[in-house]
Amino acid sequence: MSATPDTETGQPGPADQPVVKKLSTLDRFLAVWILAAMAVGLLAGRLIPGLGEALNAIAVDGISLPIALGLLIMMYPVLAKVRYDRLDTVTGDRRLLTTSLILNWVLGPALMFALAWLLLPDLPEYRTGLIIVGLARCIAMVIIWNDLACGDREAGAVLVAINSIFQVVAFAGLGWFYLSVLPGWLGLPQADLNISAWQIAKSVLIFLGIPLVAGYLTRRFGEKAKGRAWYEEKLIPRIGPFALYGLLFTIVVLFALQGDAITSQPLDVARIALPLLAYFAIMWLGSLALGRAVGLGYERSATLAFTAAGNNFELAIAVAIATFGVTSGQALAGVVGPLIEVPVLVALVYVSLALRKRWWGARAAADH
């Protein structure tokens, strides 16, 4: 799905071809594989006694090793594709950077706060859990959604890095504001969130730092040893499919971990899912339209939309469990987050590709 228009020659490129025809078999049936992975995970978690407890036990300092492994395998190939020598073209795009910061750190948390209070006024634990999800801006899985939607890889790497920095600096303060200060101003019940900067930094270092360094070193030494042509034409096609393998493995593990809770509390899951569905739809479509309105091309608008709509579920779940306990409603809300986000953002990948031609023209002019 990573083919892009041939903007250098001006000739019709792969992006001008019908989307489905240019996809590999793996990409073409992506939705089928993901639905199958969700079903396998749910069935395994429901039917295999003690599976969830066993998976939860494979952890180091609160980090689930199976989930960490899946995410690292998923992110590494995509970050190995990034042209790090082009990052200056992204850091110089003030429209993109400013818009992303506003969407991620002003509008996103505020929207989730509003939706949580509007749709879950009688469920304080789930409401708090969703607000935490809204504060944890995406740094991991968004990399693959952006790549599948033919977004700008370099822009994705930069925006994710910026989100990581802001996450370490601002997460605890925003949690205090949205759970204690703002509800107090509005005359609403207040909650507390105690989270250390190290807990946040640990999530960033593991789920972004490791694959980012690995991807950078792979490109640097791979190109140095055998040249860019070999790297792009030989190595990348070999390691590329592992991104989807890692994604599917992560989905199976996530659903297996919570299969029993999800199937035994369907009404609660449905209540939690409603504000999440509204959030993902509003943030993604609004961000894509805003990118177009401020003059960004398709690739960077798609990157803007996915980085604004996605959330760092690893951090949200870890914070909810550490603060409120593994069996709390806040933890369940955190877990339901990625279970809704994965199928919704997969669907939005296809919506994004469909809107590319309608909103930006047949060849979806590249950003500069």
Side-chain angles (χ1 to χ4, degrees):
M1 268 191 185
S2 57
T4 54
D6 188 348
T7 56
E8 294 182 2
T9 64
Q11 298 300 315
D16 298 298
Q17 303 168 12
V19 170
V20 173
K21 289 185 178 181
K22 71 178 190 300
L23 302 182
S24 67
T25 300
L26 184 64
D27 287 343
R28 189 176 304 167
F29 296 102
L30 175 65
V32 175
W33 311 140
I34 286 179
L35 289 173
M38 292 164 62
V40 168
L42 280 175
L43 289 173
R46 185 73 175 178
L47 300 177
I48 301 176
L51 178 61
E53 291 79 0
L55 289 172
N56 271 323
I58 309 173
V60 175
D61 197 19
I63 300 294
S64 168
L65 292 185
I67 291 178
L69 177 63
L71 288 170
L72 294 177
I73 293 173
M74 177 190 76
M75 293 178 64
Y76 164 68
V78 180
L79 289 169
K81 295 177 184 178
V82 171
R83 287 284 302 275
Y84 293 93
D85 57 330
R86 293 180 177 173
L87 294 185
D88 59 334
T89 66
V90 180
T91 56
D93 190 339
R94 293 185 179 179
R95 290 175 303 170
L96 175 68
L97 300 184
T98 302
T99 305
S100 177
L101 286 173
I102 293 172
L103 286 169
N104 274 285
W105 297 101
V106 179
L107 298 181
L111 176 62
M112 187 68 90
F113 175 88
L115 290 171
W117 273 100
L118 179 65
L119 299 176
L120 300 175
D122 57 329
L123 298 171
E125 290 189 359
Y126 297 155
R127 184 177 65 236
T128 298
L130 286 183
I131 292 172
I132 294 172
V133 170
L135 296 175
R137 311 312 300 167
C138 197
I139 65 167
M141 203 170 279
V142 70
I143 293 288
I144 198 167
W145 306 139
N146 179 59
D147 203 53
L148 291 170
C150 301
D152 187 317
R153 288 192 190 118
E154 289 70 38
V158 170
L159 296 187
V160 162
I162 291 174
N163 271 354
S164 301
I165 295 169
F166 269 78
Q167 204 151 108
V168 174
V169 173
F171 185 92
L174 286 174
W176 170 71
F177 176 76
Y178 279 105
L179 293 176
S180 297
V181 177
L182 185 57
W185 290 351
L186 300 175
L188 302 171
Q190 298 167 279
D192 293 319
L193 180 64
N194 296 315
I195 181 71
S196 71
W198 167 240
Q199 287 177 284
I200 304 167
K202 180 175 63 176
S203 173
V204 171
L205 289 171
I206 292 173
F207 295 115
L208 176 62
I210 292 175
L212 183 61
V213 170
Y216 172 78
L217 293 177
T218 300
R219 176 170 282 279
R220 175 163 183 166
F221 290 107
E223 287 189 357
K224 185 176 181 180
K226 295 196 174 183
R228 180 165 294 169
W230 172 87
Y231 187 89
E232 298 283 355
E233 298 169 12
K234 299 292 183 181
L235 183 60
I236 291 300
R238 290 178 184 174
I239 66 175
F242 283 91
L244 292 184
Y245 300 154
L247 172 64
L248 296 176
F249 174 79
T250 304
I251 291 170
V252 170
V253 173
L254 277 171
F255 277 71
L257 280 168
Q258 297 296 328
D260 186 63
I262 294 165
T263 54
S264 64
Q265 303 179 67
L267 293 180
D268 286 355
V269 171
R271 288 289 304 272
I272 296 169
L274 186 58
L276 284 168
L277 288 170
Y279 173 83
F280 292 134
I282 294 170
M283 281 300 294
W284 184 86
L285 187 58
S287 300
L288 190 73
L290 181 59
R292 182 171 180 261
V294 300
L296 298 177
Y298 167 77
E299 292 181 354
R300 290 191 176 175
S301 293
T303 300
L304 182 70
F306 283 101
T307 52
N311 295 93
N312 183 358
F313 65 83
E314 309 91 355
L315 176 61
I317 293 171
V319 169
I321 291 174
T323 306
F324 302 102
V326 69
T327 61
S328 65
Q330 291 89 341
L332 178 61
V335 169
V336 172
L339 306 188
I340 302 301
E341 177 177 335
V342 168
V344 169
L345 292 190
V346 168
L348 290 175
V349 166
Y350 291 96
V351 174
S352 185
L353 291 169
L355 289 176
R356 174 175 54 178
K357 182 175 181 180
R358 178 173 296 183
W359 283 11
W360 281 271
R363 292 192 294 113
D367 296 289
H368 296 286

